[in-house]
């Protein structure tokens, strides 16, 4: 009978369906601060980059990276990531086309500026210039901050450029332009995905080589409640490869 | 002549004389936030503890630690340290006799409480009870937040107890009860000192075995300006042993 063949409901629900709710719980119940979470995630993203692209493995003579930052939280995490990569002796350059007036994000920007991390005033449309100048592009643009339907310039144009680059592309959390659940067949195809806290549902559509999760700091009860079922973080590492 | 024997002025100045000014510069010029700095330092202190006392090296069956937190920033760093140690599978217990009404510190407290880290309602005066229950005591009481002259109860009493314990004692930054410059001959004698950002002048009086610095995140210009002259941080480590 059709009933005997029915798949149990829990098998239809990907373990990361509830990932969206985790951040809410961290902020509202555990009282994690935004500044604190952005610092934790930005640092963890930098650690993930050092794991996948160790300093000594960089193809080009200089360990250059381009970090493209969006206007909201995902972009702020990109700024923190760039700052820690600088401390780890990489040479990040930031492209941050729309700066937020939010003082939280502005302070993270000042930290990068005062550390003499260069900011690009525009992104070259000639893709070869990006391929030649950088080893890797990290896109921290929209994440889950925006729905694909909302995609406006300059981000639509930037995503068009990032679709053409030949150097590895890293996305922080939800690849920009993707739907949190459905992904985006016609969108960017990052080589590396760094999921914040836990993978979002769209991570099932990720076809790149390296998927890492930056959620070591999550309280056990949160991990258990959302049945994250992640591999163990090695030693004191703040990221783990799936 | 006396002049030819004069020691050049810069040799008379300990390299860490200006350590106090660093935090001011981080906050006022670089726009680091308090929440951000406390998270960075608390995490780094937990990493330092894992280096000196790896989980497998704990003398007692359970990897228990007692974290004694003061009312201000040093205590908040202790709370963050305890939280990360819990994530690293240690079993911290917190003694936090005077809680700050400051919402910043209150939120760090909530994070620990919601993670079911036990809080002691009083510190046993019978020192043997502390020796038996814990592997290590971390004191994050006064740091540089208070001058020794201000030392009041309950902190005077707690320091009296900590002077008698036989298990290792870790101090965060300035050992509580010490003068930032002169130390305190009659005060506590920590076995491990974790200096935040850079060693304070009193670190010259530290006679314990392990001195670590948690300042990897410091911008190069700050390190250079204050002539910190620290050993290189290994790999992506956030702490370094002196």
């Amino acid at each position: 009978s059709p009933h005997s063949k029915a798949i149990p409901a829990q098998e239809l629900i990907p373990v990361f369906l509830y990932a969206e709710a985790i951040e809410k719980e961290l902020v509202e119940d555990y009282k994690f601060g935004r500044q604190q979470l952005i610092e934790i995630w930005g640092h963890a993203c930098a650690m993930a980059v050092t794991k996948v692209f160790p300093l000594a493995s960089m193809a080009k003579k200089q360990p250059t990276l381009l970090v493209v930052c969006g206007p909201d939280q995902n972009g702020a995490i990109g700024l923190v990531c760039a700052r820690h990569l600088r401390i780890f002796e990489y040479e990040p350059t930031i492209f941050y086309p729309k700066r937020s007036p939010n003082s939280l994000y502005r302070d993270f920007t000042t930290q990068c500026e005062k550390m003499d991390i260069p900011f690009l005033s525009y992104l070259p449309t000639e893709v070869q210039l990006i391929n030649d100048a950088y080893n890797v592009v990290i896109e921290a643009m929209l994440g889950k901050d925006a729905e694909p339907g909302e995609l406006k310039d300059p981000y639509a144009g930037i995503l068009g450029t990032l679709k053409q680059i030949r150097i590895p592309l890293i996305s922080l959390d939800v690849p920009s332009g993707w739907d949190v659940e459905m992904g985006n067949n016609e969108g960017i195809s990052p080589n590396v995905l760094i999921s914040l806290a836990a993978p979002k549902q769209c991570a099932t559509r990720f076809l790149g080589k390296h998927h890492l999760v930056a959620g070591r700091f999550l309280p056990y009860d949160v991990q258990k409640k959302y049945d994250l079922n992640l591999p163990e973080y090695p030693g004191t590492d703040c990221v783990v490869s799936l």
Side-chain angles (χ1 to χ4, degrees), chain A:
Chain A
S1 80
H3 279 104
S4 64
K5 284 183 196 158
I7 300 162
Q10 70 267 27
E11 287 187 21
L12 290 173
I13 302 168
V15 290
F16 24 82
L17 185 61
Y18 303 117
E20 283 299 281
I22 293 178
E23 190 168 330
K24 194 165 178 281
E25 182 154 346
L26 290 175
V27 171
E28 293 180 7
D29 299 342
Y30 283 83
K31 302 293 177 193
F32 277 88
R34 285 281 159 203
Q35 194 183 72
Q36 185 184 12
L37 287 174
I38 291 168
E39 179 65 30
I40 290 172
W41 277 322
H43 173 257
C45 287
M47 293 295 280
V49 172
T50 69
K51 280 188 189 296
V52 181
F53 301 104
L55 207 50
S57 79
M58 300 268 97
K60 299 190 171 68
K61 203 176 165 190
Q62 305 297 328
T64 52
L65 307 136
L66 178 63
V67 186
V68 184
C69 296
D72 299 317
Q73 180 168 295
N74 203 256
I77 294 168
L79 294 168
V80 175
C81 175
R83 200 185 78 233
H84 284 283
L85 286 170
R86 184 73 202 90
I87 290 288
F88 297 150
E89 305 192 357
Y90 290 78
E91 294 179 17
T93 292
I94 294 170
F95 178 50
Y96 189 24
K98 275 192 171 179
R99 299 191 182 196
S100 169
N102 183 324
S103 70
L104 173 62
Y105 303 146
R106 213 171 49 213
D107 286 350
F108 287 119
T109 312
T110 304
Q111 292 163 25
C112 289
E113 288 174 337
K114 290 274 300 175
M115 279 179 66
D116 289 329
I117 298 176
F119 281 68
L120 291 184
S121 52
Y122 65 94
L123 188 71
T125 47
E126 179 56 72
V127 175
Q128 195 54 43
L129 291 173
I130 300 173
N131 292 337
D132 289 346
Y134 306 103
N135 292 275
V136 175
V137 175
I138 300 167
E139 71 86 6
M141 282 201 292
L142 306 174
K144 58 177 182 50
D145 300 336
E147 299 296 320
E150 295 174 19
L151 212 62
K152 287 181 193 147
D153 269 327
Y155 303 109
I158 296 167
L159 286 172
T161 302
L162 294 186
K163 276 171 71 171
Q164 298 173 61
I165 60 169
R166 297 276 176 110
I167 54 175
L169 177 64
I170 302 176
S171 282
L172 302 196
D173 211 27
V174 175
S176 297
W178 283 29
D179 180 83
V180 173
E181 292 182 10
M182 300 305 296
N184 183 349
N185 283 339
E186 291 166 16
I188 55 172
S189 294
N191 308 81
V192 180
L193 180 63
I194 305 172
S195 292
L196 307 178
K200 310 299 174 288
Q201 205 177 354
C202 64
T204 50
R205 318 262 171 160
F206 171 68
L207 300 172
K209 199 171 166 189
H210 301 279
H211 183 191
L212 302 97
V213 181
R216 179 68 187 262
F217 71 102
L218 286 184
Y220 290 114
D221 281 357
V222 170
Q223 297 196 31
K224 218 165 115 186
K225 176 173 173 185
Y226 293 94
D227 197 14
L228 293 181
N229 211 10
L230 295 173
E232 224 173 284
Y233 288 83
T236 54
D237 286 7
C238 55
V239 289
V240 64
S241 292
L242 296 193

